[in-house]
C-alpha cells in the first residue's frame, strides 16, 4: 500500500468517502508523499512527455508571440513573465530565449514560476537563471503579466457529477471490501438540465487560476496563453475524462495513489467565462496544430533543419507530433486571455 493509500483508508474510515477533487489533491500534492511533491514525472524515463520536451520550437513560438504582444502594448519597462506549473523549466527556457530577441524584453522581464513541487523547483533552477517562485498567482507582484501554461490546468483537481434517475450525483472515492472504489453520492441540489446519464466535470481551482490571471491582465495589461487537452463546452451527455497515466500507459486512477499522474480534460469554456467575469477578453479556442502553423512552425523547422542537417528526421518527427491531427495537433487546444482594448495575441485571430 502506498503512503497515500494508507492515509486515504484512514480518512475514509473516519469521515466517509472523499470527492474526486479531494482524492486528486491528496494524490498529486500531498506535502510529503504527493505525486508532484516527490518526483519529476516528465520525459522518457518518467510517466509522460509534454510538447516542450518534444521540441524547442514549441516554447520558442509561444515566447515570440508573447514578445510581440509586449511590443504592441508599448513595451512596458517592468513586467512579470510567468509560467504556471513549469515542470522541467524547458518551456520557459525556450520561450524566454526566443522572446529576448525583442530589444529590451529581457531587461524588463521579471521571471516568476508558479510551482508547488520542491523537486520540480530544483529542476527549473537548473534551466533558468534566477527565477522567483510563487505558490499561486496571488503571490505574483502587481504589474503587466505575460504568462504561459502548458499541461497545467489538466493537473488541477476536478469534481465530477452524473445525472442518474433524474438526480445529480457526485463521484466519490470510498472503500469497498478493503479496496478504494468509486461511488456516487446523491446531491441535495438540482444542477443544469441534461439528458439522463449525463456527466459534468468542474474544476473550481482551474476557474480560480483563470480568474486571477485575467484580473491582472485586465488591470495592468499583458496576455496569457493556455495550452492543454480539453474541450470548449461539454457535449450534452458529457464524458468522464478523469484518467491516470503511469510509465506512458493509462492505468486505473485508483490503483496507484500518489505514484501515477492524475488528470482530467480541461473545460476551456469555463476558464474563458471565469476570465471574462474578471474583465478580460478571451480568444476563440484554437487547435494546437493550427496555432503552431499560424505562428510559423513550418519555417522554424526548416531553419532548424538547415543548421543541423543530421537532425532532419528528428525535427520532422517533432513537427508532426506537435501539429498533426492524429497526434497532439487537435487534441491539444489553446486559449488566450488579453485586455479588452487590445487585439488577440498573434495566431489567435478569428479564422
Ligand atoms: N508545463 C510543463 C509541466 C506540466 S506537469 C510541461 O509542459 O512540460 C504539471 C506541472 O504543474 C508540474 O510542474 C506540477 O508540479 C505543477 N502543479 C500541479 N499542480 C499545481 C498547483 N496546484 N500549483 C502549482 N503548480 C502545480
Amino acid at each position: 500500500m502506498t503512503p497515500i493509500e494508507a492515509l486515504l483508508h484512514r480518512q475514509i474510515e473516519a469521515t466517509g468517502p472523499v470527492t474526486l477533487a479531494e482524492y486528486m489533491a491528496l494524490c498529486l500534492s500531498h506535502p510529503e508523499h504527493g505525486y508532484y511533491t516527490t518526483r519529476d514525472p516528465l520525459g522518457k524515463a518518467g510517466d509522460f512527455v509534454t510538447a516542450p520536451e518534444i521540441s524547442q520550437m514549441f516554447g520558442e513560438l509561444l515566447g515570440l508571440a508573447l514578445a510581440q504582444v509586449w511590443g504592441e502594448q508599448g513595451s512596458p519597462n517592468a513586467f512579470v513573465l510567468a509560467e504556471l506549473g513549469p515542470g522541467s523549466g524547458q518551456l520557459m527556457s525556450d520561450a524566454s530565449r526566443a522572446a529576448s530577441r525583442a530589444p529590451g524584453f529581457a531587461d524588463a522581464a521579471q521571471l516568476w514560476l508558479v510551482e508547488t513541487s520542491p523537486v520540480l523547483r530544483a529542476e527549473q533552477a537548473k534551466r533558468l537563471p534566477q527565477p522567483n517562485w510563487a505558490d499561486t498567482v496571488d503571490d505574483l507582484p502587481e504589474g503587466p503579466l505575460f504568462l504561459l501554461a502548458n499541461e497545467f490546468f489538466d493537473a488541477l483537481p476536478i469534481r465530477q457529477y452524473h445525472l442518474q434517475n433524474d438526480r445529480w450525483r457526485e463521484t466519490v472515492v470510498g472503500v469497498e471490501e478493503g479496496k478504494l472504489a468509486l461511488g456516487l453520492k446523491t446531491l441535495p441540489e438540482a444542477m443544469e438540465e441534461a439528458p439522463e446519464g449525463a456527466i459534468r466535470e468542474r474544476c473550481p481551482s482551474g476557474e480560480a487560476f483563470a480568474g486571477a490571471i485575467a484580473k491582472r491582465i485586465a488591470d495592468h495589461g499583458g496576455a496569457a496563453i493556455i495550452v492543454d487537452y480539453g474541450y470548449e463546452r461539454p457535449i450534452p451527455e458529457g464524458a468522464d475524462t478523469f484518467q491516470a497515466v503511469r510509465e506512458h500507459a493509462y492505468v486505473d486512477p485508483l490503483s496507484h495513489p500518489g505514484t501515477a499522474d492524475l488528470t482530467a480534460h480541461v473545460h476551456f469554456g469555463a476558464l474563458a467565462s471565469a476570465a471574462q467575469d474578471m474583465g478580460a477578453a478571451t480568444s476563440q479556442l484554437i487547435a494546437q496544430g493550427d496555432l503552431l502553423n499560424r505562428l510559423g512552425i513550418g519555417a522554424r523547422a526548416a531553419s532548424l533543419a538547415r543548421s543541423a542537417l543530421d537532425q532532419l528526421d528528428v525535427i520532422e518527427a517533432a513537427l508532426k507530433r506537435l501539429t498533426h491531427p492524429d497526434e497532439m495537433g487537435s487534441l491539444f487546444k489553446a486559449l488566450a486571455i488579453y485586455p479588452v482594448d487590445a487585439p488577440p495575441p498573434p495566431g489567435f485571430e478569428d479564422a
Side-chain angles (χ1 to χ4, degrees), residues 36 42 50 52 83 85-87 114-117 120 150-152 156:
Y36 282 114
L42 290 148
T50 57
E83 184 178 349
V114 176
E115 175 62 70
T116 41
S117 160
L120 288 170
N150 182 60
E151 289 210 40
F152 171 75
L156 299 177

Side-chain angles (χ1 to χ4, degrees), residues 6 32 57 75 91 104 118 150 168 186 202 232 241-242 255 337:
E32 210 181 325
M57 296 186 285
S75 311
L91 170 57
N150 182 60
W168 282 100
T186 306
R202 289 206 55 194
E232 175 130 44
T241 76
F242 178 49
S255 63
I337 302 175

